[in-house]
Amino acid sequence: MNRFPALGGYGIGWSANRRILIVALVITALLAVAATVAWFTGRTDQHNNSSTPGTTSDSSAEIPTPKPSTTTGGGSVSAPAQIAEPVAYAKAAALMLWSYDTRTTSRDQQLAGMRAWMTEETQYADWASVAGQVPDPLLWSRMADQDQHATATVTEGHFPSAFKQALADDPSAITDAYIYVVTVNGTQQIGWAKDGAGAEERAVTLAVQCRPDHDCTLAALAPAVTQ
């Protein structure tokens, strides 16, 4: 039996036209900053060229065990992580993005659960990049017909070199939006009807907002993974 595309497969929902638009935005906002950094924090204003943290975050940061959401109308999506450290939060968000259960969760519930992780600062939130990870209603229905579900493990998370380079270019810029760029790598374990199972390596580059004295939130996903 053929397995349907896995939720969280990077690039779901990104049409050719959207990729072209993103490239155009990057070119406009890039200036002297690396493309991935500019895409996250420069897409709304050219002064928001991304920067890097002064924190000592690395891939060893712990990730709390995800808990089922109690605020998004049911389903299996984990509740937003209460973490104030960028890499650890990004790793928790990646686990959320790569985990789903069509047996217990509708597509609307999946989207609602994911949206709960987003920043409320609309000028920095790119919900379309996150929602684009969820298959369309027809495909979700077909996945549900096969009881498709997935869990995930994270192997590491780190700040991409382009993001770290931005610190040298403009150390103070992080204090504008407090947007951090983090790349997470891991493995997604997928199961479906009649004991079907498989595993795939995953990688995603996320923008997370971590203002001082506040838990982090998700701002966007990049259209390509940056190491």
Side-chain angles (χ1 to χ4, degrees):
M1 178 179 298
N2 294 328
R3 177 170 52 80
F4 297 115
L7 178 63
Y10 202 75
I12 289 175
W14 289 95
S15 66
N17 287 340
R18 184 168 178 79
R19 289 181 183 276
I20 292 170
L21 175 60
I22 290 168
V23 170
L25 290 174
V26 168
I27 292 173
T28 301
L30 182 57
L31 299 178
V33 185
T36 300
V37 180
W39 183 83
F40 280 131
T41 60
R43 59 191 175 79
T44 55
D45 234 320
Q46 87 273 359
H47 75 278
N48 289 333
N49 41 323
S50 12
S51 319
T52 72
T55 62
T56 56
S57 311
D58 59 28
S59 61
S60 63
E62 294 184 2
I63 307 173
T65 302
K67 298 178 181 179
S69 173
T70 59
T71 62
T72 57
S76 61
V77 182
S78 58
Q82 296 180 335
I83 301 174
E85 193 283 316
V87 171
Y89 181 86
K91 291 163 74 173
L95 283 179
M96 178 273 295
L97 292 168
W98 295 334
S99 303
Y100 63 92
D101 193 339
T102 65
R103 300 169 300 182
T104 61
T105 308
S106 69
R107 183 176 182 274
D108 286 347
Q109 288 174 327
Q110 186 73 28
L111 287 168
M114 293 165 65
R115 186 144 202 167
W117 288 67
M118 297 293 295
T119 177
E120 295 182 357
E121 297 185 38
T122 56
Q123 67 270 39
Y124 302 119
D126 184 3
W127 168 239
S129 69
V130 178
Q133 300 299 297
V134 179
D136 61 52
L138 177 59
L139 182 52
W140 184 273
S141 176
R142 294 178 63 195
M143 292 165 61
D145 289 342
Q146 298 300 321
D147 294 336
Q148 190 164 318
H149 54 282
T151 57
T153 55
V154 164
T155 54
E156 68 90 35
H158 64 276
F159 298 117
S161 58
F163 184 63
K164 290 188 288 186
Q165 180 60 49
L167 178 60
D169 296 337
D170 189 354
S172 66
I174 193 67
T175 61
D176 183 11
Y178 286 96
I179 298 289
Y180 298 83
V181 180
V182 183
T183 293
V184 179
N185 292 280
T187 303
Q188 185 183 50
Q189 296 82 32
I190 308 164
W192 59 96
K194 298 182 179 179
D195 297 323
E200 298 179 358
E201 293 184 356
R202 294 291 182 207
V204 63
T205 298
L206 313 90
V208 299
Q209 185 177 47
C210 300
R211 290 198 178 276
D213 302 319
H214 289 81
D215 291 332
C216 299
T217 53
L218 180 60
L221 303 186
V225 176
T226 301
Q227 297 296 340

